[in-house]
Amino acid sequence: MDVLTTRIEALERSVCSAKADPPTANLAEQVAQIERQLGRTLADHTSLAQALKKYEGLRDVIEGDGDLELSRRLLGVTAKAELILLNDDTAKIMTDLHTISDLQPRINQPEYATAAKLASQLNTLEQQHGEQAAAFKQVVADMSSAVDRYHAETDALSEIFLRWDRVLTSIERKVAELEATRQK
């Protein structure tokens, strides 16, 4: 009796996703309660109801008489496909496969056949590109160096000009002072 109660509680957990109300003393009441909960669950989840309906239609073929090998032989291609298609992921995979088959002609384009022949030209172009990139990097470095030298020389000339201007300004001021003292 303990094993039967444990199995019923496991069935309640799997159907209800939680433990149901406290178990009643009567097993028939527990089974009826589980069936009601199963009915509510199937009403809430139509995909489960459809899966159960498909399973019920194939139950005798799937379960057979307990002989697994006999069940495998009795299970036809259509029935196996129905069982596989119970899974929503399989339908998505089938859609993806259909999309892939639609793209198959684009995969085997004649241009791709010439790619192997053009590999040596591609290697030559890659090498030339590498050399050009290195030369460009050197030109950029040379230009940066020239610009830096230009700025340094311009700064030096600016400093010389400012000093020369200060010297001239101070000379002009002293000359003006000397002229002012002479006129007095």
Side-chain angles (χ1 to χ4, degrees):
M1 192 63 152
D2 216 11
V3 173
L4 185 58
T5 305
T6 305
R7 286 189 175 184
I8 289 175
E9 286 176 0
L11 182 60
E12 285 175 345
R13 282 192 303 274
S14 66
V15 169
C16 305
S17 298
K19 191 165 183 170
D21 296 330
T24 58
N26 187 352
L27 289 179
E29 279 184 37
Q30 285 182 344
V31 170
Q33 186 178 18
I34 291 171
E35 286 178 347
R36 283 192 302 273
Q37 184 64 35
L38 177 63
R40 284 191 298 265
T41 302
L42 291 176
D44 292 342
H45 305 290
T46 56
S47 61
L48 287 176
Q50 291 171 353
L52 186 62
K53 185 176 180 182
K54 287 180 184 179
Y55 174 77
E56 290 296 331
L58 299 170
R59 177 183 283 196
D60 57 335
V61 177
I62 293 171
E63 292 178 0
D65 60 353
D67 183 8
L68 186 60
E69 187 60 35
L70 179 64
S71 296
R72 282 192 206 140
R73 282 183 287 174
L74 289 177
L75 197 58
V77 174
T78 306
K80 289 177 183 177
E82 285 292 322
L83 289 174
I84 291 171
L85 289 177
L86 287 175
N87 187 349
D88 291 338
D89 293 338
T90 306
K92 183 182 179 301
I93 291 169
M94 295 301 287
T95 304
D96 291 346
L97 287 175
H98 182 69
T99 303
I100 290 170
S101 65
D102 288 345
L103 295 174
Q104 193 68 33
R106 289 173 182 80
I107 292 172
N108 297 323
Q109 292 291 320
E111 291 83 13
Y112 297 144
T114 62
K117 297 174 188 171
L118 299 175
S120 62
Q121 290 178 351
L122 176 64
N123 291 336
T124 304
L125 288 174
E126 285 177 342
Q127 185 179 8
Q128 288 175 354
H129 176 70
E131 291 168 0
Q132 288 173 352
F136 177 74
K137 186 177 178 181
Q138 183 61 42
V139 167
V140 168
D142 292 345
M143 287 299 294
S144 294
S145 175
V147 167
D148 290 343
R149 282 193 314 268
Y150 169 77
H151 286 301
E153 289 176 14
T154 304
D155 287 344
L157 289 174
S158 294
E159 285 294 322
I160 291 171
F161 176 75
L162 289 173
R163 287 185 183 163
W164 181 59
D165 186 48
R166 283 187 210 129
V167 168
L168 285 178
T169 305
S170 106
I171 290 173
E172 286 177 356
R173 195 180 27 207
K174 286 191 180 191
V175 167
E177 286 175 8
L178 285 174
E179 286 180 357
T181 53
R182 259 195 205 164
Q183 288 179 358
K184 286 188 192 182

